[in-house]
Amino acid sequence: MAVDREQVLRSAAALLTRKATATMDEVARAAGISRATLHRHFAGRDALVRALESLGIAECEAALEEARTDEGPAAEAVRRLVRAMEPSAALLAFLYTENQLFEGEEQNEGWARIDAAFTELFRRGQESGEFRIDLTPAWLTEALYGLLASGAWAVAEGRVARNDFTHMIAELLLGGALRREEP
Amino acid sequence: MAVDREQVLRSAAALLTRKATATMDEVARAAGISRATLHRHFAGRDALVRALESLGIAECEAALEEARTDEGPAAEAVRRLVRAMEPSAALLAFLYTENQLFEGEEQNEGWARIDAAFTELFRRGQESGEFRIDLTPAWLTEALYGLLASGAWAVAEGRVARNDFTHMIAELLLGGALRREEP
DNA sequence: CCCACATGAGACAGTCTTGTCTCATTCAGG
DNA sequence: CCTGAATGAGACAAGACTGTCTCATGTGGG
């Protein structure tokens, strides 16, 4: 009887990732509930997107926690981080493009904390000598978001195998396309 | 008097990149013309997007031509390609996300040719031993689109300097974040 | 100078989406 | 079994956007 708010958000995220302009009615159907019930739980489309944003922020923070990005070699930390974020990639892909629409409005402060943590990880890698210094931490953070989104879409459309997701993203971000010289 | 169709498409691309849901009225105002005139030149929103898609395809093909991707080392070809695509990055960023909406509809065949050329470039790099083989050409192609879009947004929001655009994208795609051992 | 043509401004109906409301139904717990 | 709360279905008005139309303007070419 009682609607599972979490499950509604999950299916909404899955749908909106595929079709960002889906109507409230489509979101409701995707969640297997009526539009009226959807409105009872989320005051409107804005509230729904805000709730998805909160969910995304919470998952990112959980991933940061789980990956322990301040421990060990930065490269390994990045790999752990990508692996921890994989389940959230589709949601982040939606939020990443949705954020482009928030023209003037200030964005949720949660993102600032997450961006700071990402940036700090890349900065730490540069300081330790692991990472090159000609690519700014801000750009590496941006690229991580972009690659996660690209990866989520590529998987959704069958262009990349789901099992390769973590490897493709982490290794491209870390090592790039060029072949390494054998040591 | 006569409206410059090209200039209208340019300003539409610039606006839609920032705000993908802009109305026909906003697009018209951004181009400095009335909504009626915009409708006289593009039958509707669909036609406008199609025209933008054609423009994007034409620019990609021009960039491929200019970069001569079948000549010289693959890595250098990728650098030339990114440099040639830089002016189109914002438009591509819009089309990249817009394509996510074309659920069922078949996509323009032009993209297939462009994807094929990109993929062939990465495949050539793998064959020559320049590129690693654990990242598939399809994923590298996807990542190139994603990084171009991320770069365009990062520049638009001031998180990356416009002058660094080409370097940031090409070098991340090729070399990744890890520092190379000195030879 | 004059005319044809492109444009701007605005009106208009049609459609889609939203947000709210009502009412009947169903389900769980007492 | 009974009651209350949550849900589904549907109606409804309001608003936004679209696509089309008309009419006045003014501008460039003949």
Side-chain angles (χ1 to χ4, degrees):
Chain A
M1 199 172 186
V3 162
D4 180 354
R5 180 187 164 98
E6 181 84 6
Q7 179 267 331
V8 171
L9 283 177
R10 295 283 167 197
S11 62
L15 172 61
L16 289 171
T17 297
R18 291 198 312 272
K19 186 179 176 187
T21 59
T23 66
M24 292 294 274
D25 192 64
E26 291 174 299
V27 171
R29 286 177 194 283
I33 63 178
S34 71
R35 195 165 69 93
T37 301
L38 180 60
H39 267 285
R40 287 189 188 102
H41 286 266
F42 303 96
R45 191 189 178 75
D46 278 1
L48 178 64
V49 173
R50 295 302 169 95
L52 284 170
E53 190 175 33
S54 296
L55 179 62
I57 290 173
E59 293 195 351
C60 277
E61 290 181 334
L64 276 166
E65 186 92 10
E66 181 187 337
R68 306 182 316 282
T69 53
D70 53 350
E71 298 179 16
E76 284 307 317
V78 168
R79 289 192 179 91
R80 288 196 302 270
L81 182 58
V82 172
R83 198 179 318 126
M85 292 185 74
E86 172 175 353
S88 315
L91 174 56
L92 292 182
F94 164 67
L95 295 173
Y96 185 54
T97 57
E98 192 76 3
N99 266 343
Q100 308 300 339
L101 303 182
F102 288 172
E103 272 203 278
E105 312 172 37
E106 80 297 344
Q107 64 172 3
N108 192 310
E109 58 169 339
W111 293 122
R113 288 200 305 276
I114 293 166
D115 282 1
F118 284 12
T119 303
E120 167 57 20
L121 168 58
F122 291 118
R123 197 204 55 73
R124 179 167 77 84
Q126 289 182 334
E127 193 141 302
S128 73
E130 281 182 89
F131 293 167
R132 54 203 287 191
I133 60 171
D134 60 329
L135 301 179
T136 65
W139 165 238
L140 291 173
T141 299
E142 193 79 19
L144 174 54
Y145 284 129
L147 289 176
L148 281 168
S150 293
W153 285 324
V155 167
E157 299 188 15
R159 291 196 289 270
V160 167
R162 185 172 301 276
N163 289 342
D164 294 344
F165 183 93
T166 299
H167 182 264
M168 292 286 182
I169 291 174
E171 295 311 315
L172 177 59
L173 182 62
L174 289 171
L178 287 179
R179 195 172 157 193
R180 296 271 158 180
E181 304 303 329
E182 307 300 336
Chain B
M1 197 176 189
V3 163
D4 181 354
R5 180 186 165 99
E6 181 84 6
Q7 180 267 332
V8 171
L9 283 177
R10 295 283 167 197
S11 63
L15 172 61
L16 289 171
T17 297
R18 292 197 310 274
K19 187 179 176 188
T21 60
T23 66
M24 291 295 274
D25 193 65
E26 290 173 299
V27 171
R29 284 177 194 285
I33 62 178
S34 72
R35 195 167 68 93
T37 300
L38 180 61
H39 267 284
R40 287 188 188 104
H41 285 266
F42 303 97
R45 191 190 178 74
D46 279 0
L48 178 64
V49 173
R50 295 303 168 96
L52 285 171
E53 191 175 31
S54 296
L55 179 62
I57 289 173
E59 293 193 351
C60 277
E61 289 181 334
L64 276 166
E65 187 92 12
E66 181 187 338
R68 306 184 315 283
T69 53
D70 53 351
E71 297 179 17
E76 284 308 318
V78 168
R79 290 192 180 90
R80 289 196 302 271
L81 183 58
V82 172
R83 197 179 319 126
M85 292 185 73
E86 172 175 353
S88 316
L91 173 58
L92 291 182
F94 164 67
L95 294 174
Y96 186 56
T97 56
E98 191 75 5
N99 266 343
Q100 308 300 339
L101 302 182
F102 287 173
E103 271 204 280
E105 313 173 37
E106 81 297 344
Q107 66 172 2
N108 191 310
E109 58 169 340
W111 293 123
R113 288 200 302 277
I114 293 166
D115 282 2
F118 284 12
T119 303
E120 167 57 21
L121 168 59
F122 290 119
R123 196 202 56 74
R124 179 167 78 84
Q126 289 183 333
E127 193 141 302
S128 73
E130 281 183 88
F131 294 168
R132 54 203 287 192
I133 59 171
D134 60 328
L135 302 179
T136 64
W139 165 238
L140 292 172
T141 299
E142 194 79 19
L144 174 53
Y145 284 129
L147 288 176
L148 281 169
S150 294
W153 285 324
V155 167
E157 298 187 16
R159 290 196 289 270
V160 167
R162 185 172 300 277
N163 290 342
D164 294 344
F165 183 92
T166 299
H167 181 262
M168 291 287 182
I169 291 174
E171 295 311 314
L172 177 59
L173 181 61
L174 289 171
L178 287 177
R179 193 172 157 196
R180 297 270 158 180
E181 304 304 328
E182 307 300 338

